[in-house]
């Protein structure tokens, strides 16, 4: 998916866009977002949501995040599981983004 396709849907979910990791050809590899409703300003901890290249949502609860930071995100070798900052993420299908039809 492209940044434009993802941003429009992420805005509707009211998530804070933190970082985008790109692939070749203007395609998103990972789009890292924070859930502002879960964010505790006193300790800087909230839920992180990562969308993969297919728009599938993954979540990791109670992580420290702020705008401008960089996140280490990758799929585990031969597992199909996403890791963020070394922690295994969980799928969150309720937030999956829809790919534009006809592409």
């Amino acid at each position: 998916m492209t940044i434009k396709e993802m941003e429009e849907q992420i805005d509707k979910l009211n998530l804070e866009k933190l970082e985008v990791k790109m692939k070749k050809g203007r395609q998103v590899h990972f789009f890292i977002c924070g859930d502002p409703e879960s964010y505790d300003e006193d300790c800087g901890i909230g839920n992180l949501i990562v969308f993969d290249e297919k728009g599938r949502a993954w979540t990791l609860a109670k992580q420290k995040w702020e705008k401008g930071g960089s996140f280490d995100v990758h799929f585990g070798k031969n597992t199909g599981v996403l890791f963020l900052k070394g922690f295994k993420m969980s799928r969150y299908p309720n937030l999956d983004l829809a790919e534009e039809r006809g592409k």
Side-chain angles (χ1 to χ4, degrees):
M1 295 178 76
T2 65
I3 288 179
K4 184 179 186 292
E5 291 171 327
M6 290 182 134
E7 278 186 328
E8 291 171 356
Q9 296 180 64
I10 289 169
D11 288 343
K12 290 177 185 174
L13 295 171
N14 195 33
L15 298 175
E16 188 162 345
K17 297 177 280 238
L18 301 174
E19 184 179 12
V20 178
K21 300 202 182 270
M22 300 296 294
K23 293 173 65 173
K24 291 182 180 177
R26 297 177 27 162
Q27 295 294 306
V28 171
H29 196 149
F30 299 113
F31 207 128
I32 300 110
C33 300
D35 178 7
E37 292 183 21
S38 70
Y39 192 72
D40 182 343
E41 292 197 28
D42 291 335
C43 58
I45 293 177
N47 299 337
L48 287 169
I49 296 144
V50 175
F51 297 98
D52 64 22
E53 60 200 29
K54 296 178 181 175
R56 295 178 301 189
W58 299 77
T59 187
L60 188 58
K62 299 182 180 175
Q63 295 297 303
K64 190 170 183 85
W65 55 269
E66 57 188 46
K67 274 193 164 183
S70 185
F71 300 89
D72 176 29
V73 182
H74 66 277
F75 277 106
K77 193 172 187 175
N78 301 320
T79 66
V81 176
L82 196 63
F83 287 83
L84 175 68
K85 299 180 176 182
F87 295 102
K88 182 179 175 180
M89 299 190 78
S90 301
R91 279 280 288 122
Y92 195 32
N94 291 350
L95 290 183
D96 284 356
L97 306 177
E99 290 191 72
E100 284 187 10
R101 302 292 177 226
K103 290 192 174 187

